[in-house]
Amino acid sequence: MYVLLFPIPFQMKDTGVEVQMSSWLFKQLKLHLEQEWKYQPREKGLSLIECTAENENTICPRLRNAKVEDLWSLTNFFGFATETFVLAVNILDRFLALMKVKPKHLSCIGVCCFQLAAQVVEEQCNIPSLHDVIRISQCKCTASDLKRMEKIISEKLHFDFKATTALTFLHLYHTIILCHTSERKELLNLDKLEAQLKACNCRLVFSKAKPSVLALCLLSLEVQTLKSIELFEIVLCIQKYSKISDSDLLYWRELVSKCLADYSSPACCKPDHKKLVWIVSRRTAQNLQNSYYSVPELPTIPEVGCFDGSESEDSCEDMSCGEESLSSSPPSDLEGSFFFDLKPKSKWPALSFDS
């Protein structure tokens, strides 16, 4: 039984309910470990974004990270769960790793990812209308543009949005520890861990990490801060069960530790879940209202063609710089293609760490 993975001093009491709970938790962990690869953004696409200069007409790390911070702000403004934010980032990264996107369309894409994540996580009655999201996000596109973009993203990701993320593992690990520890439950603050994960999500590099590894890094760093031998031994058992190597854990722990040091603030230690409130002057409010009803700067977004059926989903792909013809949908007023599918060109260099 899964509970026997833990050293004898830290096993749960041998009661039927507790043993069943532990068994269920580890079955869930095994299930998500088997599925996590399906929801990771393509490493090749992420690597291309990483090496993109800011003066190029495509997405660079700074633009991606800034858009994720915007998603964080939107999540706070509407009072949505951390899961909505993490899922929105996952959808965004998976899409950006598949398609070459022009910077001027990133705002529209970000809002669509936010809406798609909210539809999965939040209660339907709490999801704002497209017009409200357009107004708050100031994305300068129409509701029609958002619907068209949502269709494109949905098709490219095969309508598979309910992803296994680092937050999934963070919650599982946290629950497993609470089930097996004799320490005070409040020692391991889940809100703090979630806030730290959100900080990591704002860095493109962590999209390359396995979600299970990223979550364990956050947990192990917190346990190290608490200086609890019991919690440390439980984390070691979780690491062994999850088959996470010491080299992977140490590599990502160092990056996570540096990221958290950069983001170190009272807000990270004590997350503030209050909704964002805008205080504006009457003139600013009038300008916002006028801009809301004005013609947006971006033209209508056209649909894009599908992948070439002859290409393998697992083939090594590169970004194409050439224009492609649009699909057979009615012509749009936007010249050229919106963004491009990845095309096989050259071999990508191997990364220096296990993925």
Side-chain angles (χ1 to χ4, degrees):
M1 189 168 290
Y2 293 120
V3 71
L4 296 179
L5 282 168
F6 292 92
I8 294 298
F10 307 114
Q11 289 185 27
M12 301 169 63
K13 294 178 181 179
D14 191 14
T15 66
V17 174
E18 290 170 331
V19 170
Q20 287 178 11
M21 177 64 173
S22 179
S23 178
W24 181 83
L25 285 171
F26 279 95
K27 284 178 181 178
Q28 290 297 306
L29 179 54
K30 181 181 179 181
L31 176 65
H32 288 297
L33 286 168
E34 292 171 349
Q35 293 182 344
E36 66 176 329
W37 66 270
K38 293 170 53 180
Y39 303 104
Q40 274 197 269
R42 287 191 175 183
E43 226 171 63
K44 300 163 192 172
L46 294 177
S47 296
L48 190 63
I49 296 175
E50 277 188 323
C51 64
T52 299
E54 294 206 15
N55 58 347
E56 297 182 33
N57 190 29
T58 187
I59 303 302
C60 64
R62 183 188 62 81
L63 291 177
R64 178 271 177 195
N65 294 343
K67 181 49 55 183
V68 171
E69 290 179 0
D70 289 344
L71 294 179
W72 191 344
S73 296
L74 278 176
T75 304
N76 288 338
F77 184 88
F78 290 107
F80 286 168
T82 299
E83 185 181 356
T84 301
F85 167 74
V86 174
L87 186 57
V89 175
N90 176 266
I91 295 171
L92 175 68
D93 284 338
R94 284 161 61 197
F95 185 72
L96 294 181
L98 282 174
M99 310 296 291
K100 184 174 182 180
V101 175
K102 295 180 181 178
K104 64 181 179 180
H105 294 118
L106 183 58
S107 181
C108 179
I109 293 170
V111 169
C112 282
C113 293
F114 175 76
Q115 284 289 95
L116 288 168
Q119 289 168 17
V120 172
V121 178
E122 306 293 337
E123 295 290 336
Q124 188 64 36
C125 59
N126 294 330
I127 298 176
S129 67
L130 289 180
H131 291 291
D132 286 342
V133 176
I134 289 170
R135 184 178 185 183
I136 297 302
S137 66
Q138 295 290 291
C139 66
K140 297 180 180 178
C141 58
T142 66
S144 176
D145 288 333
L146 289 180
K147 290 177 181 177
R148 185 185 287 262
M149 176 59 71
E150 183 176 318
K151 180 176 181 291
I152 295 171
I153 296 174
S154 299
E155 289 176 350
K156 291 303 177 185
L157 299 185
H158 308 291
F159 298 87
D160 196 1
F161 301 123
K162 200 169 184 180
T164 293
T165 66
L167 186 66
T168 308
F169 288 103
L170 195 61
H171 284 184
L172 269 173
Y173 293 158
H174 183 266
T175 306
I176 289 171
I177 287 180
L178 293 188
C179 284
H180 293 85
T181 184
S182 59
E183 299 275 7
R184 299 198 315 273
K185 308 298 184 184
E186 65 271 13
L187 278 180
L188 208 56
N189 190 315
L190 185 58
D191 285 343
K192 180 179 178 181
L193 291 168
E194 287 187 0
Q196 291 172 341
L197 176 59
K198 286 190 283 188
C200 290
N201 281 150
C202 291
R203 301 285 182 91
L204 176 65
V205 64
F206 294 110
S207 296
K208 286 185 171 184
K210 285 184 178 179
S212 57
V213 176
L214 179 56
L216 194 62
C217 287
L218 291 166
L219 199 60
S220 62
L221 285 169
E222 184 63 17
V223 167
Q224 179 180 311
T225 301
L226 296 174
K227 299 179 180 179
S228 167
I229 296 177
E230 181 186 83
L231 295 181
F232 176 73
E233 291 188 6
I234 297 175
V235 168
L236 285 180
C237 291
I238 293 175
Q239 179 189 350
K240 181 179 178 181
Y241 183 87
S242 302
K243 297 179 181 179
I244 297 173
S245 68
D246 290 338
S247 58
D248 266 3
L249 190 62
L250 290 174
Y251 176 86
W252 288 107
R253 261 178 56 113
E254 183 178 348
L255 292 178
V256 169
S257 179
K258 185 178 184 305
C259 172
L260 296 183
D262 293 341
Y263 273 88
S264 181
S265 67
C268 184
C269 297
K270 299 177 182 178
D272 183 5
H273 294 297
K274 294 179 180 178
K275 291 184 179 180
L276 179 65
V277 177
W278 286 1
I279 302 177
V280 297
S281 66
R282 183 178 300 176
R283 177 181 297 177
T284 301
Q286 183 64 37
N287 289 338
L288 283 174
Q289 186 176 17
N290 290 338
S291 66
Y292 175 46
Y293 291 105
S294 64
V295 178
E297 292 182 4
L298 294 182
T300 301
I301 298 172
E303 297 181 23
V304 297
C306 299
F307 281 114
D308 183 354
S310 63
E311 294 178 10
S312 168
E313 189 72 11
D314 297 324
S315 63
C316 192
E317 296 172 308
D318 196 355
M319 297 289 189
S320 171
C321 295
E323 297 285 335
E324 290 186 351
S325 61
L326 300 179
S327 63
S328 57
S329 58
S332 167
D333 56 353
L334 178 61
E335 294 182 359
S337 63
F338 171 48
F339 37 52
F340 320 106
D341 290 339
L342 300 182
K343 296 293 183 184
K345 263 194 175 181
S346 59
K347 202 74 178 174
W348 288 79
L351 297 177
S352 58
F353 53 90
D354 298 330
S355 58

